[in-house]
């Protein structure tokens, strides 16, 4: 942070009086993505040289929670509260040039299991796994596959381990999905 002063970060990122920082991610180039809560409610990106700060404006109201960045440079952001959904920002691999950015908001109309998404994680094939309040939704690049019945509680988060298993945290227990066999097993509290 030698090039960006604390005062500059607080002023520029709108961190003064913010609710919280909800997620942090690095892309392969070392750029840092910071999801800031209210009042700015924006995704901020700090370049790897620590010289530029860029804001991705929220294009849908709601509480943005988690970030995932795929190999094509698309930024996926989950929204927890009304109206909910999944926002994809395609930077067209020109991260700090917003003139060519493209956006899409996915909802239940697109096949999502629920509009209320807490967690998201990508696998090595760019499949996006989403922890929703109604179960697991998986975006395979074209559409959504949905998985329910393994818990009656909302999912709170999702993670991927080094073996490629997808782990799901719910209010009732912890579960894991084998992406090859598409089976979900786990333990209830």
């Amino acid at each position: 942070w030698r090039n960006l002063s604390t005062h500059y970060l607080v002023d520029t990122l709108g961190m003064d009086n913010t609710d919280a920082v909800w997620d942090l991610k690095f892309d392969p180039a070392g750029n840092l993505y910071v999801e800031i809560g209210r009042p700015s409610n924006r995704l901020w990106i700090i370049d790897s040289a620590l010289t530029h700060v860029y804001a991705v404006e929220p294009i849908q109201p709601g509480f943005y929670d988690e970030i995932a960045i795929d190999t094509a440079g698309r930024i996926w952001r989950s929204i927890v509260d009304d109206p909910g959904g999944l926002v994809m920002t395609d930077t067209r691999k020109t991260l700090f040039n917003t003139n060519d950015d493209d956006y899409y908001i996915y909802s239940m109309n697109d096949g999502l299991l629920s509009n209320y998404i807490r967690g998201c994680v990508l696998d090595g094939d760019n499949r996006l796994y989403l922890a929703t309040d109604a179960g697991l939704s998986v975006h395979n690049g074209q559409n959504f596959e949905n998985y329910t019945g393994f818990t009656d509680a909302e999912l709170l988060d999702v993670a991927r381990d080094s073996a490629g298993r997808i782990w799901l945290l719910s209010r009732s227990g912890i579960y894991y999905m084998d992406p090859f066999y598409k089976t979900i097993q786990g333990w209830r509290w």
Side-chain angles (χ1 to χ4, degrees):
W1 300 103
R2 63 188 174 278
N3 297 335
L4 295 176
S5 72
T6 303
H7 178 73
Y8 178 75
L9 285 174
V10 169
D11 289 347
T12 304
L13 299 183
M15 292 177 75
D16 201 20
N17 299 317
T18 193
D19 288 351
V21 174
W22 294 113
D23 200 11
L24 299 171
K25 292 284 187 292
F26 284 95
D27 67 16
N31 300 306
L32 175 62
Y33 297 67
V34 182
E35 189 72 65
I36 302 284
R38 293 178 184 101
S40 77
N41 198 30
R42 291 186 181 140
L43 174 64
W44 292 90
I45 303 168
I46 303 169
D47 76 327
S48 60
L50 305 178
T51 56
H52 294 90
V53 177
Y54 157 69
V56 176
E57 297 290 333
I59 61 164
Q60 166 112 329
F63 177 71
Y64 288 78
D65 193 16
E66 294 251 343
I67 311 161
I69 304 140
D70 68 21
T71 58
R74 293 177 297 225
I75 305 165
W76 301 86
R77 300 167 67 199
S78 65
I79 304 176
V80 175
D81 63 359
D82 275 335
L86 174 67
V87 176
M88 184 275 300
T89 303
D90 187 349
T91 65
R92 301 187 190 276
K93 295 191 177 187
T94 59
L95 184 58
F96 295 98
N97 174 8
T98 60
N99 295 332
D100 63 350
D101 286 1
D102 194 17
Y103 304 94
Y104 191 81
I105 302 168
Y106 294 90
S107 69
M108 290 176 68
N109 293 337
D110 298 296
L112 268 172
L113 188 57
S114 170
N115 285 335
Y116 305 107
I117 304 165
R118 292 203 180 273
C120 59
V121 69
L122 287 154
D123 71 8
D125 295 321
N126 274 341
R127 282 186 297 267
L128 181 66
Y129 295 82
L130 304 163
T132 78
D133 64 349
L136 177 67
S137 283
V138 182
H139 189 265
N140 61 20
Q142 296 178 339
N143 53 37
F144 290 94
E145 301 168 15
N146 295 306
Y147 300 87
T148 61
F150 58 93
T151 180
D152 56 357
E154 69 181 323
L155 296 181
L156 302 173
D157 205 359
V158 60
R160 181 176 174 254
D161 70 17
S162 61
R165 291 177 296 236
I166 304 301
W167 289 86
L168 305 160
L169 174 65
S170 84
R171 293 195 188 278
S172 68
I174 189 165
Y175 305 88
Y176 66 93
M177 176 187 201
D178 180 312
F180 182 76
Y181 293 107
K182 299 186 180 190
T183 58
I184 298 177
Q185 300 175 25
W187 303 271
R188 294 183 70 80
W189 305 133

